[in-house]
């Protein structure tokens, strides 16, 4: 699918989600049925890993930066097993821990991490997760990171429904005062046991959902970072290193790769980068585009950020597309502190 075609379909899906349209599909019923059958076969073939175990990463990171009377930043992870960190053995290897320690180092301020993500969750579970994240009005998160979408594809959730649930979650979090960054649907075509031609169909379906997610998220005031290609060329070139023991969830190195892509956007949203880094760099092919085109481009390139720009333009909403430099994130375990985590 070309970028323009992906942009058109993503725009239709997002419009259906916003206005209560029907179940705009990502692929025909036969195609989806074949994809699900292949995914189930792949799961049986890779199902000998540490299924169900998710290390606890919640706690305070960067405790050395604590200043009496100054509260820690609050970071909450929402979404599915990727957000929770399933597939690794230590809390410090999860994406939440990596992001919390990275933000603490950049901000020179402690960061309290809370994880409400649930392995196996689809986008329709986000409403419950958001309710948990906002349960205490006096402790609203400063930043929420959502990673979701893969289960929506494998469970055949209609794309409009998927985007509608995600958009509603972002809207609730933004209304409460939290910043939101969404890691869009990963590329399921990179899961090693999935064979052609369904590998191509999985990639097509995943990227189409990622593009539609971006349009919905940007429309609610959030930012997105494409995870698709992180589970693409890098994972395909080195699957034994970048996938975990079950060959389905990322390994510690895989989660570190994803965290490196998301961290710059999280820091930008929190105002931790110099102002000049927020301007588009033509040498890096950054710039302003209609949101659907920006979403389509981002879905095909790992680590690409999309954020709202001008409210309107000649072709509707515009967005800023940025290709930020990745930042290495060291592993760190939560530290005990008198300050409670969020």
């Amino acid at each position: 699918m070309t970028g323009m075609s992906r942009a058109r379909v993503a725009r239709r899906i997002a419009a259906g989600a916003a206005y209560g349209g029907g179940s705009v599909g990502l692929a025909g019923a036969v195609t989806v049925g074949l994809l699900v059958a292949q995914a189930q076969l792949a799961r049986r073939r890779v199902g000998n890993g540490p299924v169900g175990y998710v290390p606890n990463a919640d706690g305070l990171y960067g405790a050395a930066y604590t200043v009496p009377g100054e509260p820690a930043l609050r970071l909450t992870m929402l979404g599915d097993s990727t957000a929770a960190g399933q597939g690794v053995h230590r809390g410090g290897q999860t994406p939440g821990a990596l992001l919390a320690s990275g933000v603490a180092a950049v901000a020179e301020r402690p960061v309290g991490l809370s994880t409400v993500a649930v392995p196996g969750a689809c986008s329709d579970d986000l409403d419950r997760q958001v309710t948990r994240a906002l349960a205490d009005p006096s402790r609203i998160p400063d930043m929420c990171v959502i990673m979701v979408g893969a289960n929506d594809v494998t469970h055949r959730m209609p794309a409009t429904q998927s985007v509608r649930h995600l958009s509603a979650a972002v809207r609730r979090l933004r209304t409460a005062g939290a910043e939101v960054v969404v890691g869009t649907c990963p590329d399921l075509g990179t899961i090693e046991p999935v064979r052609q031609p369904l590998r191509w169909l999985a990639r097509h379906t995943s990227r189409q959902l990622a593009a539609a997610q971006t349009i919905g998220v940007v429309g609610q005031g959030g930012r997105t970072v494409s995870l698709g290609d992180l589970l693409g060329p890098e994972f395909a070139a080195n699957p034994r290193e970048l996938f975990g023991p079950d060959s389905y969830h990322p390994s510690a190195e895989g989660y570190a790769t994803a965290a490196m892509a998301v961290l710059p956007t999280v820091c930008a949203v929190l105002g931790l980068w110099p102002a000049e880094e927020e301007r588009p760099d033509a040498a890096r092919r950054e710039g302003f585009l209609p949101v659907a085109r920006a979403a389509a481009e981002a879905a095909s390139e790992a680590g690409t950020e999309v954020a709202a720009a001008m409210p309107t333009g000649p072709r509707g909403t515009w967005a800023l597309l940025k290709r930020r430099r990745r930042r290495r994130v060291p592993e760190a375990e939560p530290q005990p502190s008198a300050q409670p985590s969020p």
Side-chain angles (χ1 to χ4, degrees):
M1 175 179 283
T2 66
M4 291 301 292
S5 297
R6 182 177 292 129
R8 284 194 296 269
V9 176
R11 194 162 46 235
R12 285 177 50 223
I13 293 170
Y19 298 110
S23 57
V24 178
L26 293 169
V30 175
T31 296
V32 173
L34 288 171
L35 175 59
V36 172
Q38 183 76 46
Q40 290 172 343
L41 176 62
R43 283 178 174 176
R44 286 197 294 270
R45 291 178 60 188
V46 303
N48 57 353
V51 177
Y53 175 70
V54 179
N56 180 16
D58 289 2
L60 194 71
Y61 293 79
Y65 298 115
T66 300
V67 175
E70 292 188 11
L73 290 170
R74 299 189 182 102
L75 168 65
T76 299
M77 299 293 296
L78 304 92
D80 56 23
S81 57
T82 305
Q86 185 173 354
V88 296
H89 300 287
R90 297 194 301 273
Q93 298 171 323
T94 65
L98 294 168
L99 289 171
S101 60
V103 171
V106 173
E108 296 186 346
R109 184 175 171 186
V111 175
L113 172 66
S114 176
T115 304
V116 298
V118 178
C122 295
S123 293
D124 57 4
D125 190 55
L126 289 175
D127 182 64
R128 184 189 63 83
Q129 294 183 26
V130 170
T131 297
R132 287 187 59 197
L134 303 179
D136 184 350
S138 68
R139 301 180 62 78
I140 300 300
D142 298 287
M143 166 59 61
C144 292
V145 174
I146 304 174
M147 297 179 178
V148 75
N151 295 318
D152 297 32
V153 174
T154 60
H155 288 73
R156 293 178 285 178
M157 178 179 289
T160 48
Q161 183 179 338
S162 175
V163 174
R164 187 178 301 128
H165 286 300
L166 176 59
S167 299
V170 175
R171 181 169 58 251
R172 285 183 64 193
L173 293 169
R174 293 290 294 126
T175 299
E179 300 288 352
V180 182
V181 173
V182 175
T184 54
C185 182
D187 185 349
L188 297 180
T190 63
I191 298 173
E192 197 175 32
V194 177
R195 304 304 180 188
Q196 296 290 12
L198 295 181
R199 183 183 293 272
W200 179 88
L201 294 173
R203 172 168 290 122
H204 162 84
T205 305
S206 305
R207 290 183 177 184
Q208 191 61 72
L209 178 58
Q213 287 177 318
T214 292
I215 296 175
V217 169
V218 169
Q220 300 302 326
R223 300 193 193 192
T224 63
V225 178
S226 169
L227 298 182
D229 276 355
L230 290 176
L231 301 179
E234 294 179 73
F235 278 28
N238 201 2
R240 299 303 179 193
E241 180 180 349
L242 289 170
F243 278 115
D246 61 1
S247 298
Y248 189 84
H249 293 98
S251 67
E253 184 63 27
Y255 280 128
T257 302
M260 281 193 294
V262 175
L263 178 62
T265 298
V266 170
C267 289
V269 169
L270 292 172
L272 301 177
W273 283 165
E276 57 268 21
E277 290 204 20
E278 298 310 299
R279 292 191 289 268
D281 184 348
R284 296 175 60 82
R285 296 178 294 115
E286 299 177 345
F288 298 97
L289 293 170
V291 67
R293 279 188 56 197
E297 286 197 24
S300 299
E301 186 173 346
T304 305
E305 174 191 315
V306 180
M310 295 166 274
T312 58
R315 286 178 283 182
T317 302
W318 281 58
L320 172 61
L321 185 145
K322 287 190 67 66
R323 296 174 170 89
R324 296 184 184 274
R325 294 176 176 83
R326 298 180 194 175
R327 311 282 174 140
R328 184 70 189 178
V329 186
E331 180 183 333
E333 298 291 341
Q335 300 296 316
S337 171
Q339 258 185 332
S341 61

